[in-house]
Amino acid sequence: TAERLREGRLPADGLALTAEAPEGRLIGTVRLWHVDLGSAGAGLMLGPIAVAPEARSLGIGAALMWVAVERARRLGHRAIVLVGDAPYYARFGFSAGSTLGLDLPGPVDRARFLALELVDGALADAYGMVVATGALESVAAAA
């Protein structure tokens, strides 16, 4: 369901992050995507986040998350949603409470549909469908 919102779209400017090993090999990545959060307006969807198996448990995923959240805040974004493991994402401030009135365009385990307000009250009483709004890959390639 979350992938459906990313399909054919480009990540938000400045919010496709990578981690590299000292020799330059890619060992981690996280991306955020422009979405409309129903009545709350513009927001971001986070995902995927991935770390190479040999680099797991080194804190790379957490570091990518902290940088992504802070960069999104600094760029003026108001809220981030994601579908993921609630215990993992809770340490970054994500919870299911702010997504109760929001829907995704497909099935989702509601306990895994999480949000983080970057601006206090950004998702207060938010309701409606989460819709992809980012630039299309084909349009960007043609430009």
Side-chain angles (χ1 to χ4, degrees):
T1 295
E3 186 174 337
R4 196 176 289 169
L5 291 166
R6 301 187 303 259
E7 220 166 51
R9 306 267 176 184
L10 294 172
D13 287 342
L15 293 170
L17 310 175
T18 59
E20 295 180 355
E23 73 278 2
R25 185 174 41 88
L26 179 67
I27 56 172
T29 184
V30 65
R31 295 180 183 180
L32 290 97
W33 311 80
H34 289 289
V35 291
D36 184 87
L37 298 172
S39 65
L44 296 168
M45 175 163 261
L46 187 142
I49 182 167
V51 176
E54 68 277 8
R56 293 196 180 131
S57 300
L58 300 176
I60 292 167
L64 284 167
M65 281 296 301
W66 287 119
V67 171
V69 168
E70 187 50 40
R71 186 173 291 179
R73 182 178 283 116
R74 207 173 54 245
L75 289 171
H77 296 284
R78 298 174 44 79
I80 302 171
V81 297
L82 61 83
V83 176
D85 184 46
Y88 178 82
Y89 291 104
R91 64 180 155 158
F92 307 105
F94 286 84
S95 69
S98 297
T99 64
L100 296 176
L102 295 171
D103 291 305
L104 290 172
V108 66
D109 176 351
R110 296 301 301 194
R112 296 175 56 81
F113 184 25
L114 312 174
L116 171 66
E117 291 182 334
L118 301 175
V119 173
D120 287 342
L123 296 174
D125 303 318
Y127 65 90
M129 184 65 65
V130 175
V131 177
T133 59
L136 296 172
E137 286 179 343
S138 60
V139 172

